[in-house]
Structures are given as C-alpha cells and as structure tokens.
Amino acid sequence: MTASSAGQHGEGSMSIGSVLALLREDFPDVTISKIRFLESEGLITPERAPSGYRRFSTNDCERLRFVLTAQRDRYLPLKVIKEQLEAIDRGEGGAGAGGTRLLSAARNAVAPATDFGSRGGRVSRETLIERTGVDSAFVTELLRNGLLTPGPAGFFDEDAVRLVEAAAALANYGVETRHLRAFKVSADREAGLVAQIANPIAKGKGTGARDRAEELAREIAALSVTLHTQLVKAAVRGVLD
C-alpha cells in the first residue's frame, strides 16, 4: 500500500470531524487544518464522497496516528516520516502494510538521536527525583543553571524527565552541570532562529496559519537536530583520529 492508495484499504466511512474526535484523545492539539495539511503533503489520501466531502478509512486513521506519533515522540521531519511510511508500505523494516502495525512502527522505526519525547503529564519535583534517581541537589543545580524550568504551576513534563536523565548520565562521565550551559545557549539560539522564520507565518491571515507555522517550526527544529548530531559526530571523529 502506498500513500496514494491508502484510502482503498478499508472503505472510507468516517468524516474528518469523526477522525478528529478519535485522534484528540491522544493528540489534543490536532486540528482539522492539520489533517488537511498532512493530506496535502501526500501522507494520507482519503476517499471523496460524490458530494466532495472527505471520507476516511480505518487505515487512514492509523496513518495519521503514525505521523502524529513520529512527530510528537521523535520530532521527525515530514519528509523522513513519509519515507518511513513508504518503506512500511513496501513491507521493509519488519513492518507490514496493515494499519494495525503502523503505530508500533512509528515508535520503533525512528532514530533515537531525534527523540524529543512528549510534553504531556504533570510531574512534581518529588516524582521527577524518584523517576530519574537523582538527588534534590542535582535538580537544584539544573534549575540554577537554567537547564530545567518548571511550568507555571510548578510541575514538570516528560521532556524534563528525559533532560534530567541525560544530564545525570553525563554527570556519571564527569560532565558537571555548569558545563551543560553551553548546550542551553546553543538551543536558545536555534529556537530564536526558528521563531524568526515561523512567527510571521503564525501571524498571517487565513485559516490554519498557526498550524502551518507549527509544522514549519517542527521541520526546522528537526533538521537543526539532525545537523547538530552530524556536526558532533564529525567533531568526535576528529578528536579520536
């Protein structure tokens, strides 16, 4: 099955509103304009009723879940996600074409180097310490150096858990918290560049302007992570040679 034939696998019986309702339980930020955007990029191809309305099949929904999961949990560019879908459609990588296997493939067939995790959840400081195995002083150091920031209500999210885990792992190799400030400065600069490009689009006129801006921000951020990873790998090879 390819993206162009996705709608042929299972009769299209759901409206776009029904699909939105199904997806929002796991992806509360998804919108109708987001679904239409993914369609325009060729990631799904729902059938069209004689009246012209989109009719989605179960497999269309699974493809959407694949895309949204890969974006949320792995922060991949759409081009990479589309390539992975096409590989799955061809039966490569140990994942068949059936829609029921798409979601597990989304969680396992992508590069850990771009794994940003999901921002969901309300994690207290005590829970953060318990889950990561660090002590309170280590969390205080991360906060003091601006590497860790709680939300308005004082809670953290899943990204914070992964950040603390990574910082703790680096500490085991002798990398002190103060040394990590360089990573924060670099991240802030990259975020500023993304904002310069995406904000004018978000403020533009027309339906879906903000969704388009968010997609653009995701794409640029994912590409910057890939570039950063390759630069670090090249630099490390130079050090070891």
Side-chain angles (χ1 to χ4, degrees), residues 19-35 64-65 68-69 71-73 118-121 210-211 214 218:
V19 172
L20 183 66
L22 286 173
L23 294 174
R24 272 195 166 163
E25 182 176 350
D26 295 320
F27 308 96
D29 295 331
V30 70
T31 61
I32 286 178
S33 59
K34 165 86 168 183
I35 295 173
L64 285 169
R65 287 186 182 278
L68 296 171
T69 299
Q71 284 188 317
R72 182 194 64 190
D73 294 351
S118 110
R119 291 190 54 82
R210 183 170 184 82
D211 288 320
E214 289 179 355
R218 284 178 180 273

PDB file of all heavy atoms in Angstrom, residues 19-35 64-65 68-69 71-73 118-121 210-211 214 218:
ATOM      1  N   VAL A  19     -12.830  11.688  12.601  1.00  0.00           N
ATOM      2  CA  VAL A  19     -11.405  11.363  12.735  1.00  0.00           C
ATOM      3  C   VAL A  19     -10.760  12.271  13.782  1.00  0.00           C
ATOM      4  O   VAL A  19      -9.975  11.823  14.629  1.00  0.00           O
ATOM      5  CB  VAL A  19     -10.702  11.510  11.381  1.00  0.00           C
ATOM      6  CG1 VAL A  19      -9.191  11.359  11.550  1.00  0.00           C
ATOM      7  CG2 VAL A  19     -11.217  10.477  10.393  1.00  0.00           C
ATOM      8  N   LEU A  20     -11.100  13.535  13.733  1.00  0.00           N
ATOM      9  CA  LEU A  20     -10.564  14.491  14.697  1.00  0.00           C
ATOM     10  C   LEU A  20     -10.923  14.088  16.121  1.00  0.00           C
ATOM     11  O   LEU A  20     -10.076  14.122  17.029  1.00  0.00           O
ATOM     12  CB  LEU A  20     -11.103  15.892  14.398  1.00  0.00           C
ATOM     13  CG  LEU A  20     -10.575  17.029  15.276  1.00  0.00           C
ATOM     14  CD1 LEU A  20      -9.091  17.244  15.041  1.00  0.00           C
ATOM     15  CD2 LEU A  20     -11.346  18.317  14.986  1.00  0.00           C
ATOM     16  N   ALA A  21     -12.164  13.669  16.333  1.00  0.00           N
ATOM     17  CA  ALA A  21     -12.609  13.249  17.664  1.00  0.00           C
ATOM     18  C   ALA A  21     -11.835  12.025  18.148  1.00  0.00           C
ATOM     19  O   ALA A  21     -11.489  11.927  19.328  1.00  0.00           O
ATOM     20  CB  ALA A  21     -14.103  12.959  17.641  1.00  0.00           C
ATOM     21  N   LEU A  22     -11.533  11.086  17.237  1.00  0.00           N
ATOM     22  CA  LEU A  22     -10.788   9.891  17.606  1.00  0.00           C
ATOM     23  C   LEU A  22      -9.337  10.213  17.972  1.00  0.00           C
ATOM     24  O   LEU A  22      -8.780   9.641  18.907  1.00  0.00           O
ATOM     25  CB  LEU A  22     -10.807   8.889  16.447  1.00  0.00           C
ATOM     26  CG  LEU A  22     -12.123   8.144  16.190  1.00  0.00           C
ATOM     27  CD1 LEU A  22     -12.007   7.325  14.908  1.00  0.00           C
ATOM     28  CD2 LEU A  22     -12.470   7.244  17.368  1.00  0.00           C
ATOM     29  N   LEU A  23      -8.747  11.147  17.241  1.00  0.00           N
ATOM     30  CA  LEU A  23      -7.335  11.455  17.441  1.00  0.00           C
ATOM     31  C   LEU A  23      -7.077  12.344  18.644  1.00  0.00           C
ATOM     32  O   LEU A  23      -6.022  12.271  19.272  1.00  0.00           O
ATOM     33  CB  LEU A  23      -6.765  12.121  16.189  1.00  0.00           C
ATOM     34  CG  LEU A  23      -6.698  11.268  14.930  1.00  0.00           C
ATOM     35  CD1 LEU A  23      -6.254  12.115  13.746  1.00  0.00           C
ATOM     36  CD2 LEU A  23      -5.760  10.083  15.124  1.00  0.00           C
ATOM     37  N   ARG A  24      -8.038  13.180  18.979  1.00  0.00           N
ATOM     38  CA  ARG A  24      -7.798  14.187  20.013  1.00  0.00           C
ATOM     39  C   ARG A  24      -7.586  13.607  21.401  1.00  0.00           C
ATOM     40  O   ARG A  24      -7.003  14.267  22.259  1.00  0.00           O
ATOM     41  CB  ARG A  24      -8.951  15.197  20.033  1.00  0.00           C
ATOM     42  CG  ARG A  24      -8.721  16.341  19.071  1.00  0.00           C
ATOM     43  CD  ARG A  24      -9.626  17.508  19.312  1.00  0.00           C
ATOM     44  NE  ARG A  24      -9.151  18.676  18.597  1.00  0.00           N
ATOM     45  CZ  ARG A  24      -9.885  19.751  18.346  1.00  0.00           C
ATOM     46  NH1 ARG A  24     -11.160  19.781  18.738  1.00  0.00           N
ATOM     47  NH2 ARG A  24      -9.378  20.790  17.715  1.00  0.00           N
ATOM     48  N   GLU A  25      -8.023  12.392  21.626  1.00  0.00           N
ATOM     49  CA  GLU A  25      -7.780  11.777  22.938  1.00  0.00           C
ATOM     50  C   GLU A  25      -6.285  11.612  23.182  1.00  0.00           C
ATOM     51  O   GLU A  25      -5.798  11.828  24.297  1.00  0.00           O
ATOM     52  CB  GLU A  25      -8.477  10.426  23.020  1.00  0.00           C
ATOM     53  CG  GLU A  25      -8.311   9.742  24.373  1.00  0.00           C
ATOM     54  CD  GLU A  25      -9.082   8.446  24.464  1.00  0.00           C
ATOM     55  OE1 GLU A  25      -9.894   8.162  23.553  1.00  0.00           O
ATOM     56  OE2 GLU A  25      -8.875   7.717  25.445  1.00  0.00           O
ATOM     57  N   ASP A  26      -5.546  11.237  22.142  1.00  0.00           N
ATOM     58  CA  ASP A  26      -4.098  11.058  22.259  1.00  0.00           C
ATOM     59  C   ASP A  26      -3.319  12.267  21.775  1.00  0.00           C
ATOM     60  O   ASP A  26      -2.164  12.468  22.181  1.00  0.00           O
ATOM     61  CB  ASP A  26      -3.658   9.828  21.458  1.00  0.00           C
ATOM     62  CG  ASP A  26      -4.236   8.539  22.012  1.00  0.00           C
ATOM     63  OD1 ASP A  26      -4.296   8.411  23.249  1.00  0.00           O
ATOM     64  OD2 ASP A  26      -4.645   7.680  21.217  1.00  0.00           O
ATOM     65  N   PHE A  27      -3.928  13.064  20.902  1.00  0.00           N
ATOM     66  CA  PHE A  27      -3.255  14.230  20.326  1.00  0.00           C
ATOM     67  C   PHE A  27      -4.165  15.452  20.459  1.00  0.00           C
ATOM     68  O   PHE A  27      -4.819  15.860  19.501  1.00  0.00           O
ATOM     69  CB  PHE A  27      -2.909  13.973  18.854  1.00  0.00           C
ATOM     70  CG  PHE A  27      -2.158  12.693  18.619  1.00  0.00           C
ATOM     71  CD1 PHE A  27      -2.833  11.538  18.237  1.00  0.00           C
ATOM     72  CD2 PHE A  27      -0.788  12.619  18.798  1.00  0.00           C
ATOM     73  CE1 PHE A  27      -2.157  10.347  18.027  1.00  0.00           C
ATOM     74  CE2 PHE A  27      -0.103  11.437  18.597  1.00  0.00           C
ATOM     75  CZ  PHE A  27      -0.788  10.291  18.215  1.00  0.00           C
ATOM     76  N   PRO A  28      -4.235  16.042  21.630  1.00  0.00           N
ATOM     77  CA  PRO A  28      -5.198  17.123  21.883  1.00  0.00           C
ATOM     78  C   PRO A  28      -4.983  18.370  21.032  1.00  0.00           C
ATOM     79  O   PRO A  28      -5.910  19.170  20.872  1.00  0.00           O
ATOM     80  CB  PRO A  28      -5.003  17.433  23.379  1.00  0.00           C
ATOM     81  CG  PRO A  28      -3.684  16.849  23.735  1.00  0.00           C
ATOM     82  CD  PRO A  28      -3.475  15.685  22.847  1.00  0.00           C
ATOM     83  N   ASP A  29      -3.790  18.536  20.460  1.00  0.00           N
ATOM     84  CA  ASP A  29      -3.513  19.736  19.674  1.00  0.00           C
ATOM     85  C   ASP A  29      -3.853  19.585  18.188  1.00  0.00           C
ATOM     86  O   ASP A  29      -3.728  20.546  17.427  1.00  0.00           O
ATOM     87  CB  ASP A  29      -2.030  20.127  19.800  1.00  0.00           C
ATOM     88  CG  ASP A  29      -1.661  20.530  21.222  1.00  0.00           C
ATOM     89  OD1 ASP A  29      -2.555  21.032  21.929  1.00  0.00           O
ATOM     90  OD2 ASP A  29      -0.502  20.343  21.617  1.00  0.00           O
ATOM     91  N   VAL A  30      -4.265  18.397  17.774  1.00  0.00           N
ATOM     92  CA  VAL A  30      -4.547  18.191  16.357  1.00  0.00           C
ATOM     93  C   VAL A  30      -5.792  18.969  15.952  1.00  0.00           C
ATOM     94  O   VAL A  30      -6.719  19.146  16.747  1.00  0.00           O
ATOM     95  CB  VAL A  30      -4.721  16.682  16.046  1.00  0.00           C
ATOM     96  CG1 VAL A  30      -6.018  16.138  16.636  1.00  0.00           C
ATOM     97  CG2 VAL A  30      -4.681  16.427  14.544  1.00  0.00           C
ATOM     98  N   THR A  31      -5.785  19.478  14.729  1.00  0.00           N
ATOM     99  CA  THR A  31      -6.906  20.265  14.217  1.00  0.00           C
ATOM    100  C   THR A  31      -7.295  19.757  12.830  1.00  0.00           C
ATOM    101  O   THR A  31      -6.562  18.984  12.204  1.00  0.00           O
ATOM    102  CB  THR A  31      -6.526  21.752  14.096  1.00  0.00           C
ATOM    103  OG1 THR A  31      -5.434  21.881  13.166  1.00  0.00           O
ATOM    104  CG2 THR A  31      -6.112  22.323  15.448  1.00  0.00           C
ATOM    105  N   ILE A  32      -8.443  20.226  12.359  1.00  0.00           N
ATOM    106  CA  ILE A  32      -8.882  19.862  11.008  1.00  0.00           C
ATOM    107  C   ILE A  32      -7.891  20.383   9.973  1.00  0.00           C
ATOM    108  O   ILE A  32      -7.557  19.681   9.009  1.00  0.00           O
ATOM    109  CB  ILE A  32     -10.297  20.396  10.745  1.00  0.00           C
ATOM    110  CG1 ILE A  32     -11.326  19.551  11.517  1.00  0.00           C
ATOM    111  CG2 ILE A  32     -10.631  20.371   9.251  1.00  0.00           C
ATOM    112  CD1 ILE A  32     -12.754  20.014  11.364  1.00  0.00           C
ATOM    113  N   SER A  33      -7.400  21.596  10.177  1.00  0.00           N
ATOM    114  CA  SER A  33      -6.441  22.145   9.210  1.00  0.00           C
ATOM    115  C   SER A  33      -5.150  21.350   9.218  1.00  0.00           C
ATOM    116  O   SER A  33      -4.484  21.228   8.175  1.00  0.00           O
ATOM    117  CB  SER A  33      -6.169  23.620   9.511  1.00  0.00           C
ATOM    118  OG  SER A  33      -5.664  23.794  10.809  1.00  0.00           O
ATOM    119  N   LYS A  34      -4.765  20.788  10.362  1.00  0.00           N
ATOM    120  CA  LYS A  34      -3.575  19.938  10.431  1.00  0.00           C
ATOM    121  C   LYS A  34      -3.776  18.680   9.596  1.00  0.00           C
ATOM    122  O   LYS A  34      -2.886  18.266   8.840  1.00  0.00           O
ATOM    123  CB  LYS A  34      -3.312  19.568  11.888  1.00  0.00           C
ATOM    124  CG  LYS A  34      -2.343  18.409  12.091  1.00  0.00           C
ATOM    125  CD  LYS A  34      -0.938  18.866  12.110  1.00  0.00           C
ATOM    126  CE  LYS A  34      -0.010  17.765  12.594  1.00  0.00           C
ATOM    127  NZ  LYS A  34       1.383  18.185  12.690  1.00  0.00           N
ATOM    128  N   ILE A  35      -4.954  18.063   9.715  1.00  0.00           N
ATOM    129  CA  ILE A  35      -5.254  16.858   8.942  1.00  0.00           C
ATOM    130  C   ILE A  35      -5.242  17.183   7.450  1.00  0.00           C
ATOM    131  O   ILE A  35      -4.698  16.428   6.638  1.00  0.00           O
ATOM    132  CB  ILE A  35      -6.610  16.271   9.361  1.00  0.00           C
ATOM    133  CG1 ILE A  35      -6.546  15.780  10.820  1.00  0.00           C
ATOM    134  CG2 ILE A  35      -7.015  15.114   8.446  1.00  0.00           C
ATOM    135  CD1 ILE A  35      -7.880  15.341  11.388  1.00  0.00           C
ATOM    136  N   LEU A  64      -2.496   8.493  10.111  1.00  0.00           N
ATOM    137  CA  LEU A  64      -2.435   9.757  10.839  1.00  0.00           C
ATOM    138  C   LEU A  64      -1.796   9.555  12.210  1.00  0.00           C
ATOM    139  O   LEU A  64      -0.985  10.381  12.652  1.00  0.00           O
ATOM    140  CB  LEU A  64      -3.835  10.350  10.984  1.00  0.00           C
ATOM    141  CG  LEU A  64      -4.414  10.991   9.726  1.00  0.00           C
ATOM    142  CD1 LEU A  64      -5.898  11.298   9.911  1.00  0.00           C
ATOM    143  CD2 LEU A  64      -3.656  12.274   9.379  1.00  0.00           C
ATOM    144  N   ARG A  65      -2.154   8.479  12.885  1.00  0.00           N
ATOM    145  CA  ARG A  65      -1.547   8.199  14.183  1.00  0.00           C
ATOM    146  C   ARG A  65      -0.046   7.976  14.050  1.00  0.00           C
ATOM    147  O   ARG A  65       0.737   8.393  14.911  1.00  0.00           O
ATOM    148  CB  ARG A  65      -2.200   6.970  14.823  1.00  0.00           C
ATOM    149  CG  ARG A  65      -3.594   7.227  15.355  1.00  0.00           C
ATOM    150  CD  ARG A  65      -4.124   6.008  16.103  1.00  0.00           C
ATOM    151  NE  ARG A  65      -5.471   6.241  16.564  1.00  0.00           N
ATOM    152  CZ  ARG A  65      -5.778   6.899  17.680  1.00  0.00           C
ATOM    153  NH1 ARG A  65      -4.810   7.382  18.443  1.00  0.00           N
ATOM    154  NH2 ARG A  65      -7.036   7.071  18.043  1.00  0.00           N
ATOM    155  N   LEU A  68       1.508  11.518  13.535  1.00  0.00           N
ATOM    156  CA  LEU A  68       1.437  12.336  14.741  1.00  0.00           C
ATOM    157  C   LEU A  68       2.323  11.783  15.851  1.00  0.00           C
ATOM    158  O   LEU A  68       2.942  12.544  16.605  1.00  0.00           O
ATOM    159  CB  LEU A  68      -0.014  12.432  15.215  1.00  0.00           C
ATOM    160  CG  LEU A  68      -0.963  13.155  14.250  1.00  0.00           C
ATOM    161  CD1 LEU A  68      -2.412  13.007  14.714  1.00  0.00           C
ATOM    162  CD2 LEU A  68      -0.599  14.630  14.121  1.00  0.00           C
ATOM    163  N   THR A  69       2.408  10.454  15.947  1.00  0.00           N
ATOM    164  CA  THR A  69       3.279   9.845  16.952  1.00  0.00           C
ATOM    165  C   THR A  69       4.739  10.108  16.633  1.00  0.00           C
ATOM    166  O   THR A  69       5.531  10.442  17.520  1.00  0.00           O
ATOM    167  CB  THR A  69       3.025   8.324  17.031  1.00  0.00           C
ATOM    168  OG1 THR A  69       1.667   8.091  17.401  1.00  0.00           O
ATOM    169  CG2 THR A  69       3.944   7.674  18.064  1.00  0.00           C
ATOM    170  N   GLN A  71       5.963  12.573  14.943  1.00  0.00           N
ATOM    171  CA  GLN A  71       6.244  13.989  15.182  1.00  0.00           C
ATOM    172  C   GLN A  71       6.360  14.288  16.667  1.00  0.00           C
ATOM    173  O   GLN A  71       7.289  14.957  17.105  1.00  0.00           O
ATOM    174  CB  GLN A  71       5.135  14.858  14.574  1.00  0.00           C
ATOM    175  CG  GLN A  71       5.204  14.990  13.068  1.00  0.00           C
ATOM    176  CD  GLN A  71       4.209  16.018  12.561  1.00  0.00           C
ATOM    177  OE1 GLN A  71       3.072  16.075  12.989  1.00  0.00           O
ATOM    178  NE2 GLN A  71       4.644  16.849  11.630  1.00  0.00           N
ATOM    179  N   ARG A  72       5.411  13.790  17.440  1.00  0.00           N
ATOM    180  CA  ARG A  72       5.373  14.106  18.864  1.00  0.00           C
ATOM    181  C   ARG A  72       6.488  13.424  19.649  1.00  0.00           C
ATOM    182  O   ARG A  72       7.161  14.039  20.472  1.00  0.00           O
ATOM    183  CB  ARG A  72       4.021  13.676  19.440  1.00  0.00           C
ATOM    184  CG  ARG A  72       3.844  13.997  20.933  1.00  0.00           C
ATOM    185  CD  ARG A  72       2.658  13.242  21.500  1.00  0.00           C
ATOM    186  NE  ARG A  72       2.880  11.797  21.454  1.00  0.00           N
ATOM    187  CZ  ARG A  72       1.950  10.901  21.704  1.00  0.00           C
ATOM    188  NH1 ARG A  72       0.714  11.289  21.986  1.00  0.00           N
ATOM    189  NH2 ARG A  72       2.230   9.604  21.660  1.00  0.00           N
ATOM    190  N   ASP A  73       6.706  12.122  19.397  1.00  0.00           N
ATOM    191  CA  ASP A  73       7.636  11.353  20.202  1.00  0.00           C
ATOM    192  C   ASP A  73       9.055  11.342  19.644  1.00  0.00           C
ATOM    193  O   ASP A  73       9.989  11.030  20.373  1.00  0.00           O
ATOM    194  CB  ASP A  73       7.153   9.913  20.346  1.00  0.00           C
ATOM    195  CG  ASP A  73       5.862   9.819  21.148  1.00  0.00           C
ATOM    196  OD1 ASP A  73       5.454  10.850  21.716  1.00  0.00           O
ATOM    197  OD2 ASP A  73       5.269   8.730  21.200  1.00  0.00           O
ATOM    198  N   SER A 118       7.329  13.326  24.528  1.00  0.00           N
ATOM    199  CA  SER A 118       6.104  14.105  24.558  1.00  0.00           C
ATOM    200  C   SER A 118       6.108  15.037  25.752  1.00  0.00           C
ATOM    201  O   SER A 118       6.734  14.786  26.761  1.00  0.00           O
ATOM    202  CB  SER A 118       4.916  13.145  24.617  1.00  0.00           C
ATOM    203  OG  SER A 118       4.288  13.196  25.838  1.00  0.00           O
ATOM    204  N   ARG A 119       5.415  16.156  25.626  1.00  0.00           N
ATOM    205  CA  ARG A 119       5.398  17.140  26.690  1.00  0.00           C
ATOM    206  C   ARG A 119       4.257  16.910  27.665  1.00  0.00           C
ATOM    207  O   ARG A 119       4.080  17.686  28.590  1.00  0.00           O
ATOM    208  CB  ARG A 119       5.260  18.543  26.085  1.00  0.00           C
ATOM    209  CG  ARG A 119       6.487  18.994  25.325  1.00  0.00           C
ATOM    210  CD  ARG A 119       6.396  20.454  24.966  1.00  0.00           C
ATOM    211  NE  ARG A 119       6.138  21.277  26.130  1.00  0.00           N
ATOM    212  CZ  ARG A 119       7.062  21.686  26.991  1.00  0.00           C
ATOM    213  NH1 ARG A 119       8.303  21.326  26.822  1.00  0.00           N
ATOM    214  NH2 ARG A 119       6.732  22.452  28.020  1.00  0.00           N
ATOM    215  N   GLY A 120       3.489  15.870  27.474  1.00  0.00           N
ATOM    216  CA  GLY A 120       2.328  15.655  28.320  1.00  0.00           C
ATOM    217  C   GLY A 120       2.701  15.296  29.751  1.00  0.00           C
ATOM    218  O   GLY A 120       3.822  14.936  30.061  1.00  0.00           O
ATOM    219  N   GLY A 121       1.744  15.405  30.646  1.00  0.00           N
ATOM    220  CA  GLY A 121       1.926  14.973  32.016  1.00  0.00           C
ATOM    221  C   GLY A 121       2.237  16.109  32.962  1.00  0.00           C
ATOM    222  O   GLY A 121       2.698  17.172  32.564  1.00  0.00           O
ATOM    223  N   ARG A 210      -1.624  29.324  11.967  1.00  0.00           N
ATOM    224  CA  ARG A 210      -0.844  28.864  13.110  1.00  0.00           C
ATOM    225  C   ARG A 210      -0.406  27.409  12.939  1.00  0.00           C
ATOM    226  O   ARG A 210       0.713  27.037  13.307  1.00  0.00           O
ATOM    227  CB  ARG A 210      -1.648  29.017  14.404  1.00  0.00           C
ATOM    228  CG  ARG A 210      -0.847  28.623  15.642  1.00  0.00           C
ATOM    229  CD  ARG A 210      -1.543  28.996  16.930  1.00  0.00           C
ATOM    230  NE  ARG A 210      -0.700  28.694  18.075  1.00  0.00           N
ATOM    231  CZ  ARG A 210       0.281  29.463  18.526  1.00  0.00           C
ATOM    232  NH1 ARG A 210       0.529  30.614  17.898  1.00  0.00           N
ATOM    233  NH2 ARG A 210       1.003  29.117  19.567  1.00  0.00           N
ATOM    234  N   ASP A 211      -1.297  26.575  12.378  1.00  0.00           N
ATOM    235  CA  ASP A 211      -0.919  25.173  12.137  1.00  0.00           C
ATOM    236  C   ASP A 211       0.249  25.079  11.167  1.00  0.00           C
ATOM    237  O   ASP A 211       1.168  24.275  11.358  1.00  0.00           O
ATOM    238  CB  ASP A 211      -2.114  24.397  11.591  1.00  0.00           C
ATOM    239  CG  ASP A 211      -3.173  24.143  12.657  1.00  0.00           C
ATOM    240  OD1 ASP A 211      -2.795  23.853  13.801  1.00  0.00           O
ATOM    241  OD2 ASP A 211      -4.359  24.251  12.355  1.00  0.00           O
ATOM    242  N   GLU A 214       3.378  26.024  13.003  1.00  0.00           N
ATOM    243  CA  GLU A 214       3.839  24.964  13.892  1.00  0.00           C
ATOM    244  C   GLU A 214       4.517  23.840  13.112  1.00  0.00           C
ATOM    245  O   GLU A 214       5.531  23.286  13.554  1.00  0.00           O
ATOM    246  CB  GLU A 214       2.664  24.415  14.700  1.00  0.00           C
ATOM    247  CG  GLU A 214       2.152  25.382  15.767  1.00  0.00           C
ATOM    248  CD  GLU A 214       0.977  24.829  16.546  1.00  0.00           C
ATOM    249  OE1 GLU A 214       0.492  23.737  16.191  1.00  0.00           O
ATOM    250  OE2 GLU A 214       0.560  25.483  17.512  1.00  0.00           O
ATOM    251  N   ARG A 218       8.417  22.693  13.498  1.00  0.00           N
ATOM    252  CA  ARG A 218       8.814  21.298  13.715  1.00  0.00           C
ATOM    253  C   ARG A 218       9.856  20.866  12.686  1.00  0.00           C
ATOM    254  O   ARG A 218      10.847  20.220  13.022  1.00  0.00           O
ATOM    255  CB  ARG A 218       7.600  20.376  13.624  1.00  0.00           C
ATOM    256  CG  ARG A 218       6.683  20.392  14.834  1.00  0.00           C
ATOM    257  CD  ARG A 218       5.499  19.468  14.586  1.00  0.00           C
ATOM    258  NE  ARG A 218       4.591  19.430  15.705  1.00  0.00           N
ATOM    259  CZ  ARG A 218       4.714  18.621  16.745  1.00  0.00           C
ATOM    260  NH1 ARG A 218       5.722  17.768  16.793  1.00  0.00           N
ATOM    261  NH2 ARG A 218       3.838  18.643  17.736  1.00  0.00           N
TER     262      ARG A 218
END
